C-alpha cells in the first residue's frame, strides 16, 4: 500500500512540476526572464528525477481515478506505468531538460524568454501526461495539447509571417489527422464502450474479441490517420519541414525527438490491436515504407541543414512505424528512443552552427568554418554516424533490430525498401557531414545563393557552455544508447532478436556503401560536390521540389478552399449583407418620410388632437344614440 | 332660463377659446384661449350643479379647483413664455418649430 502511494506521489510530481513551472512563469514572471528560466528548469529537473525514479521502481499496476460516469460509460484519468511509457517518459524528460539548458544559451538574446521557457514547460507537461495516460480519451486530450504547444512554439517568432504561417500549417495538418483519430475513438466508444487502454488490449475481453473484424479495421485505420498526422507520414508530412521556422531547440525537442514521436508511441501503445488486424498492419507498413523512402530522397538534395534533419526525422519515423507494423514492439520502441537522442543531438548541433554562423545553408556553414567548432562537429559526426547506423553507435543497433524483424517475417519487399532507405540515410547524413567538415576550399564566390538563416546570428562565444553541455551529454547518449538494447527489451518484457555478425553484415554493407558514395560526391578533395542524383535532372528537380506534394496541395486543396471561401465571402457580402442593407435602408427611407408629419407646429398638433377627440366623441355619441334608440 | 341656454353659452365660449388656441400666432393669445376654455368648463359645471344636483357644493368645489389650477397654469405658462422670449427673442409659435422631424 505504502509503495503504491509513493509511486502515485512521484507520478504527480513528475507530471505536474512542469505545469506548475509553466503557470508560475506565464502568470507572474513574464517580466523577469531569469527567474522564469530558473523555475522552468527546476520543474524539468524535478520531472527528470521523478521519471528516473519511476523507471527504477519498475512497472506497476495501472492507477485510475474516476473522472465521471454516465450510464455504463466510465471516463477515467490515470497513469499506465509499463515498460514502454516509463522508458519513453525518461527519454522525454531528459531531452526536455537538455533542450532547456541549451536554450539558456540559444535564446539568451531573445526578449520573450519568459514566454519561451513557460511554453517549454507546458509542452513537457502535456507530453508526459500523454505518455503516462491510461485512458484513450485522456491520451487524446493531451495529444491535442501537444499539438497546441507545438503551434505556440513553431509560431514563437509570430512577428515573422513565415513562422506564423508554418505554425498555422502544422496545426491544421495535424488537425486533419486528429479528426480521424477522434472518430476512431468515438467508434471505440460506440462498439466497445470503454477507453481503458489495458482493457482494450486485453486478449480475452478486449477490443479484438468484442468487435467485428471490419469494425476493428476501420477503427485502427482511423487511429492511424491520427498517427500519420502527428508523426508526419505521407500524405500529411508537409507540415514538418515548415515547422523548422521555430527556434532550433524547439525543432530538436518537438519535431524530432518527442512530439512527432507521439504518433509512434500511440501505435506502440495499441500494438496488440494492430497485430490482430492484417489490413491495418499492411496499410501501416506500406505508408511507413513509402514515407521513409520519400523523405530520404528529399533529404538528399536540400541545402538547409534543418530541412535535411526534418526530412530525416520523417524518414526515421517511417522506419519505426515499419518496425511496429512488422510485429516488433521492441524494435520500434528501441529506435524511437535512440532516434530521440541522436536526432536531438543533431538538431542541437545545427543550432550551434546557426547561432554562431548565422546561416542555415550547409555549404555556407562549411565555408564559414563550421568545422572549427569542435564540440559541435564531434557531435555532428557522432550523431550522423548514429543516424546512418554505423556500428557501434546507437542507431546501428536499433536499425539492426528493424532489419532483423523485417527479414524474420519475410516482408521481402519491405526489407528491400528498408535497405534502400538505410542506404539513402547514410548517403544524405554523410553528405551533410562532409559538406560541413570538408568545405570546398577557398571558394567564397557565390554567397548570394546561400539560404538566409531562420534565426541566430548573434555572434558572441562560438560554443557557450550552456549549449555545449547538452551537446556533449547527448553525444555520449547517441554513441552508447545502443548497448542498452537488452535492458530496453527486458523493460518491455521481450527478448531482442538474436544477432550474429553475419546477419548484421548486409545492413553494415549498405550503410558503408552509402557513406562511400557520399565521400565520392562530397568528401574527397577533388569531389564535384554534386549529388549523384544530379546526373538525372528530372529526379533532381523532383526531389528539390519535395515531389511537388506541397505544390500539389497548394494548387489543389488550398486553392479550391480559397475559391470556396471567396464564394462564401461574395455570397455573404453581396447577397446577405447587401440584402439586409437594402431592407434596412428602405425602412429608414419610409421612416424619414413619416417624420414629415412631425412639423414641430404646436397648433397643428392641437388641431389634430381636437379633430381626433371630436371624431371619437361623435362616434361615441352616435353609438350611444343608436344603442339608446 | 333653461339648462340648454347655459350649455349653449358654454359651447360658444369653449369654441371661441379653441379657435383662439388654434389660430393665434402669439403665445399669450394662446394662453388667453386656454383660459376661455377653462371658464367654459366652469360654466358647464355650475349649470349642471344648478339644474341636476341636489347638493349645491359639488359643482362649486370643482369650479374652485379649476380656478386654482388656472392660476397655477398661468404662472407656469407665463414663465415658460418669458424664458422662451429671453432665449429666442420670439413668442410666435410659427417660429418655435425646432422639434420638427
Amino acid at each position: 500500500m505504502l509503495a503504491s502511494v509513493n509511486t502515485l506521489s512521484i507520478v504527480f510530481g513528475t507530471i505536474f512540476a512542469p505545469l506548475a513551472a509553466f503557470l508560475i512563469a506565464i502568470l507572474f514572471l513574464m517580466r523577469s526572464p531569469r527567474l522564469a528560466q530558473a523555475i522552468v528548469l527546476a520543474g524539468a529537473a524535478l520531472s527528470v528525477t521523478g521519471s528516473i525514479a519511476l523507471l527504477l521502481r519498475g512497472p506497476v499496476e495501472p492507477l485510475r481515478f474516476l473522472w465521471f460516469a454516465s450510464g455504463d460509460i466510465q471516463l477515467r484519468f490515470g497513469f499506465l506505468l509499463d515498460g514502454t511509457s516509463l522508458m519513453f517518459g525518461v527519454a522525454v524528460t531528459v531531452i526536455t531538460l537538455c533542450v532547456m539548458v541549451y536554450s539558456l544559451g540559444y535564446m539568451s538574446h531573445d526578449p520573450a524568454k519568459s514566454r519561451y521557457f513557460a511554453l517549454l514547460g507546458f509542452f513537457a507537461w502535456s507530453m508526459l501526461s500523454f505518455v503516462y495516460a491510461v485512458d484513450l480519451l485522456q491520451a487524446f486530450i493531451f495529444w491535442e495539447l501537444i499539438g497546441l504547444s507545438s503551434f505556440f512554439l513553431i509560431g514563437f517568432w509570430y512577428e515573422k509571417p513565415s513562422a506564423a504561417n508554418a505554425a498555422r500549417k502544422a496545426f491544421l495538418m495535424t488537425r486533419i489527422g486528429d479528426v480521424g483519430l477522434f472518430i476512431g475513438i468515438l467508434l471505440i466508444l460506440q462498439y466497445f464502450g470503454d477507453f481503458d487502454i489495458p482493457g482494450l488490449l486485453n486478449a480475452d475481453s478486449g477490443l479484438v474479441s468484442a468487435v467485428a473484424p471490419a469494425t476493428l479495421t476501420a477503427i485502427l485505420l482511423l487511429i492511424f490517420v491520427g498517427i500519420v498526422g502527428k508523426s508526419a507520414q505521407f500524405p500529411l508530412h508537409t507540415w514538418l519541414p515548415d515547422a523548422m521556422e521555430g527556434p532550433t531547440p524547439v525543432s530538436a525537442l518537438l519535431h524530432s525527438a518527442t512530439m512527432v514521436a507521439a504518433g509512434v508511441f500511440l501505435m506502440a501503445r495499441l500494438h496488440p490491436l494492430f497485430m490482430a488486424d492484417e489490413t491495418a498492419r499492411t496499410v501501416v507498413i506500406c505508408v511507413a515504407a513509402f514515407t521513409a523512402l520519400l523523405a530520404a530522397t528529399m533529404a538528399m538534395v536540400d541545402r538547409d541543414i534543418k530541412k535535411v534533419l526534418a526530412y530525416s526525422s520523417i524518414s526515421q519515423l517511417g522506419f519505426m512505424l515499419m518496425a511496429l507494423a512488422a510485429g516488433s514492439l521492441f524494435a520500434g520502441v528501441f529506435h524511437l528512443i535512440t532516434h530521440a537522442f541522436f536526432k536531438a543531438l543533431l538538431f542541437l548541433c545545427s543550432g550551434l552552427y546557426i547561432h554562431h554562423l548565422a546561416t542555415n545553408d550547409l555549404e555556407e556553414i562549411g565555408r564559414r568554418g563550421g568545422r572549427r567548432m569542435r564540440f559541435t562537429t564531434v557531435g555532428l559526426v557522432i550523431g550522423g554516424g548514429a543516424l546512418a547506423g554505423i556500428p557501434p553507435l546507437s542507431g546501428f543497433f536499433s536499425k539492426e533490430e528493424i532489419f532483423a524483424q523485417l527479414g524474420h517475417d519475410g516482408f521481402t519487399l519491405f526489407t528491400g525498401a528498408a535497405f534502400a532507405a538505410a542506404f539513402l540515410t547514410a548517403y544524405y547524413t554523410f553528405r551533410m557531414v562532409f559538406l560541413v567538415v570538408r568545405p570546398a576550399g577557398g571558394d567564397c564566390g557565390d554567397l548570394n545563393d546561400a539560404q538566409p538563416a531562420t534565426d541566430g546570428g548573434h555572434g558572441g562565444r562560438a560554443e557557450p557552455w550552456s549549449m555545449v553541455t547538452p551537446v556533449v551529454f547527448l553525444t555520449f547518449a547517441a554513441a552508447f544508447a545502443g548497448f542498452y538494447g537488452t535492458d530496453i527489451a527486458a523493460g518491455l518484457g521481450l527478448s531482442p532478436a538474436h544477432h550474429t555478425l553475419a546477419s548484421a553484415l548486409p545492413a553494415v554493407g549498405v550503410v558503408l556503401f552509402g557513406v562511400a558514395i557520399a565521400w565520392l560526391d562530397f568528401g574527397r578533395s577533388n569531389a564535384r560536390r554534386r549529388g549523384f542524383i544530379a546526373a538525372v535532372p528530372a529526379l533532381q528537380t523532383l526531389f528539390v521540389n519535395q515531389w511537388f506534394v506541397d505544390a500539389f496541395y497548394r494548387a489543389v486543396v488550398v486553392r479550391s478552399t480559397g475559391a470556396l471561401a471567396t464564394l462564401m465571402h461574395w455570397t455573404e457580402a453581396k447577397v446577405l449583407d447587401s440584402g439586409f442593407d437594402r431592407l434596412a435602408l428602405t425602412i429608414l427611407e419610409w421612416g424619414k418620410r413619416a417624420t414629415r408629419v412631425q412639423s414641430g407646429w404646436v397648433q397643428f398638433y392641437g388641431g389634430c388632437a381636437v379633430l381626433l377627440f371630436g371624431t371619437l366623441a361623435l362616434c361615441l355619441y352616435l353609438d350611444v344614440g343608436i344603442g339608446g334608440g | 332660463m333653461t339648462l340648454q341656454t347655459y350649455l349653449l353659452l358654454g359651447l360658444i365660449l369653449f369654441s371661441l377659446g379653441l379657435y383662439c388656441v388654434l389660430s393665434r400666432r402669439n403665445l399669450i393669445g394662446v394662453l388667453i384661449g386656454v383660459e376661455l376654455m377653462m371658464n367654459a368648463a366652469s360654466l358647464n359645471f355650475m349649470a349642471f350643479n344648478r339644474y341636476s344636483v341636489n347638493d349645491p357644493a359639488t359643482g362649486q368645489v370643482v369650479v374652485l379647483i379649476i380656478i386654482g389650477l388656472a392660476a397655477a397654469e398661468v404662472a407656469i405658462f407665463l414663465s415658460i413664455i418669458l424664458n422662451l422670449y429671453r432665449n429666442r427673442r420670439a413668442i410666435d409659435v410659427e417660429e418655435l418649430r425646432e422639434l420638427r422631424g
Side-chain angles (χ1 to χ4, degrees):
Chain A
M1 190 61 209
L2 190 65
S4 106
V5 168
N6 280 340
T7 305
L8 194 59
S9 45
I10 296 174
V11 179
F12 271 112
T14 310
I15 287 183
F16 290 108
L19 177 67
F22 159 71
L23 288 176
I24 293 170
I26 203 90
L27 291 179
F28 306 117
L29 300 178
M30 284 306 272
R31 271 151 218 273
S32 38
R34 287 187 163 277
L35 211 53
Q37 282 174 1
I39 294 269
V40 174
L41 272 172
L46 201 62
S47 208
V48 170
T49 324
S51 65
I52 291 175
L54 286 173
L55 180 65
L56 293 179
R57 295 168 77 105
V60 294
E61 283 293 297
L63 307 159
R64 301 188 184 91
F65 312 94
L66 190 65
W67 178 25
F68 67 79
S70 166
D72 293 335
I73 301 162
Q74 292 195 328
L75 289 181
R76 288 178 223 85
F77 266 47
F79 309 109
L80 178 55
L81 303 173
D82 63 356
T84 322
S85 61
L86 286 174
M87 282 184 294
F88 192 52
V90 171
V92 167
T93 53
V94 168
I95 290 173
T96 307
L97 186 64
C98 285
V99 165
M100 281 180 184
V101 173
Y102 180 89
S103 301
L104 291 179
Y106 195 87
M107 302 300 281
S108 56
H109 307 275
D110 201 285
K113 265 188 288 186
S114 293
R115 180 164 56 94
Y116 175 79
F117 278 90
L119 286 173
L120 282 186
F122 178 66
F123 168 76
W125 168 64
S126 17
M127 188 75 203
L128 272 176
S129 306
F130 167 73
V131 169
Y132 290 143
V134 76
D135 191 279
L136 203 53
L137 194 68
Q138 179 194 6
F140 180 73
I141 291 169
F142 289 106
W143 170 283
E144 290 294 332
L145 283 178
I146 292 168
L148 182 68
S149 51
S150 167
F151 169 77
F152 286 144
L153 284 165
I154 297 171
F156 178 71
W157 287 312
Y158 55 84
E159 309 90 346
K160 262 200 322 192
S162 58
N165 285 335
R168 260 202 304 275
K169 182 172 176 183
F171 195 70
L172 287 177
M173 292 201 80
T174 47
R175 224 32 79 254
I176 296 172
D178 294 350
V179 170
L181 175 60
F182 193 54
I183 297 172
I185 290 177
L186 290 181
L187 282 181
I188 291 181
L189 178 68
Q190 188 182 353
Y191 289 102
F192 190 67
D194 196 36
F195 292 129
D196 192 52
I197 291 173
L200 284 170
L201 302 183
N202 193 307
D204 301 324
S205 60
L207 191 66
V208 177
S209 58
V211 302
T215 317
L216 182 66
T217 310
I219 290 172
L220 290 178
L221 287 180
L222 284 166
I223 289 177
F224 182 61
V225 171
I227 295 172
V228 164
K230 191 65 109 195
S231 288
Q233 299 294 293
F234 179 83
L236 297 179
H237 62 277
T238 59
W239 68 266
L240 206 151
D242 286 29
M244 297 301 127
E245 282 295 336
T248 307
V250 167
S251 309
L253 178 63
L254 274 73
H255 305 119
S256 63
T258 55
M259 173 236 175
V260 288
V264 178
F265 183 79
L266 184 67
M267 171 122 183
R269 263 277 177 260
L270 305 177
H271 193 243
L273 299 182
F274 279 94
M275 285 306 99
D277 190 277
E278 205 53 45
T279 317
R281 222 174 137 178
T282 315
V283 170
V284 174
I285 200 167
C286 287
V287 170
F290 181 66
T291 309
L293 279 170
L294 180 82
T297 59
M298 295 176 193
M300 279 166 65
V301 292
D302 211 298
R303 292 181 53 165
D304 183 325
I305 185 168
K306 283 179 80 178
K307 290 261 167 82
V308 170
L309 293 173
Y311 293 129
S312 145
S313 285
I314 299 176
S315 174
Q316 297 304 308
L317 291 163
F319 259 101
M320 297 169 208
L321 289 175
M322 268 166 91
L324 290 171
S328 174
L329 178 64
F330 167 61
V333 173
F334 191 23
H335 197 53
L336 182 64
I337 289 172
T338 55
H339 173 261
F341 286 117
F342 63 68
K343 190 52 69 64
L345 169 64
L346 285 170
F347 264 109
L348 294 187
C349 289
S350 79
L352 272 161
Y353 289 133
I354 294 168
H355 190 70
H356 186 58
L357 303 173
T359 176
N360 279 17
D361 188 278
L362 277 168
E363 292 183 25
E364 199 57 29
I365 289 172
R367 215 172 288 151
R368 294 185 189 175
R371 68 179 184 279
R372 280 192 291 276
M373 297 164 69
R374 287 205 196 88
F375 289 107
T376 317
T377 303
V378 169
L380 185 76
V381 172
I382 298 283
L387 171 59
I390 290 177
L393 304 171
S394 58
F396 162 72
F397 293 96
S398 51
K399 271 193 195 168
E400 191 48 43
E401 279 299 329
I402 298 175
F403 291 132
Q405 182 65 27
L406 285 169
H408 174 72
D409 277 11
F411 294 96
T412 322
L413 181 63
F414 299 111
T415 315
F419 274 115
F423 163 71
L424 291 177
T425 307
Y427 176 75
Y428 70 68
T429 310
F430 276 85
R431 166 180 174 269
M432 174 179 77
V433 172
F434 290 142
L435 280 176
V436 171
V437 301
R438 295 186 61 83
D443 176 19
C444 292
D446 54 342
L447 282 172
N448 293 329
D449 65 339
Q451 304 199 355
T454 51
D455 51 40
H458 301 297
R461 253 184 83 97
E463 297 180 291
W465 284 112
S466 56
M467 290 160 80
V468 168
T469 319
V471 165
V472 170
F473 172 77
L474 285 173
T475 305
F476 279 101
F480 299 117
F483 296 110
Y484 295 94
T486 41
D487 296 313
I488 290 175
L492 295 173
L494 300 166
S495 57
H498 187 65
H499 298 293
T500 59
L501 194 60
S503 72
L505 270 181
V508 176
V510 160
V511 166
L512 290 181
F513 181 57
V515 176
I517 299 278
W519 171 260
L520 287 180
D521 281 353
F522 299 100
R524 64 199 166 106
S525 47
N526 57 348
R528 295 165 60 218
R529 296 196 162 69
R530 288 175 61 203
F532 65 84
I533 205 71
V536 192
L539 279 182
Q540 171 87 3
T541 316
L542 184 67
F543 296 167
V544 168
N545 291 291
Q546 291 101 41
W547 293 61
F548 297 102
V549 175
D550 221 11
F552 172 76
Y553 288 160
R554 209 163 288 146
V556 177
V557 181
V558 176
R559 190 178 292 173
S560 59
T561 315
L564 184 66
T566 313
L567 178 70
M568 292 297 181
H569 181 253
W570 184 85
T571 314
E572 203 259 334
K574 299 285 173 194
V575 179
L576 293 177
D577 254 14
S578 72
F580 280 108
D581 275 359
R582 188 148 304 165
L583 183 65
L585 284 175
T586 314
I587 291 171
L588 208 62
E589 187 59 34
W590 281 100
K592 269 188 188 146
R593 279 182 201 171
T595 57
R596 287 188 201 159
V597 177
Q598 303 275 325
S599 61
W601 180 20
V602 181
Q603 286 170 326
F604 175 71
Y605 300 159
C608 287
V610 169
L611 269 180
L612 181 70
F613 284 111
T615 319
L616 213 61
L618 197 66
C619 287
L620 279 173
Y621 175 73
L622 290 177
D623 211 2
V624 169
I626 292 161
Chain B
M1 294 291 266
T2 57
L3 177 60
Q4 270 77 11
T5 322
Y6 289 106
L7 290 186
L8 197 62
L9 182 62
L11 179 64
I12 291 168
L13 210 53
F14 187 84
S15 305
L16 285 174
L18 185 62
Y19 176 73
C20 181
V21 166
L22 293 185
S23 62
R24 300 293 294 198
R25 296 287 175 262
N26 194 313
L27 272 174
I28 296 187
V30 174
L31 172 61
I32 292 170
V34 172
E35 290 301 312
L36 275 180
M37 283 156 76
M38 282 184 165
N39 284 333
S42 305
L43 190 63
N44 275 10
F45 273 110
M46 283 315 294
F48 279 117
N49 188 40
R50 164 74 179 75
Y51 286 101
S52 34
V53 183
N54 291 331
D55 182 7
T58 319
Q60 292 178 15
V61 168
V62 175
V63 170
L64 281 174
I65 289 176
I66 290 177
I67 290 170
L69 203 69
E73 181 251 325
V74 165
I76 294 170
F77 205 121
L78 280 175
S79 62
I80 290 176
I81 291 172
L82 198 62
N83 269 311
L84 266 178
Y85 183 73
R86 276 188 188 154
N87 287 316
R88 308 257 180 253
R89 295 274 143 199
I91 51 171
D92 187 339
V93 285
E94 291 283 275
E95 288 175 33
L96 301 169
R97 294 176 69 169
E98 275 173 39
L99 288 175
R100 187 172 43 221

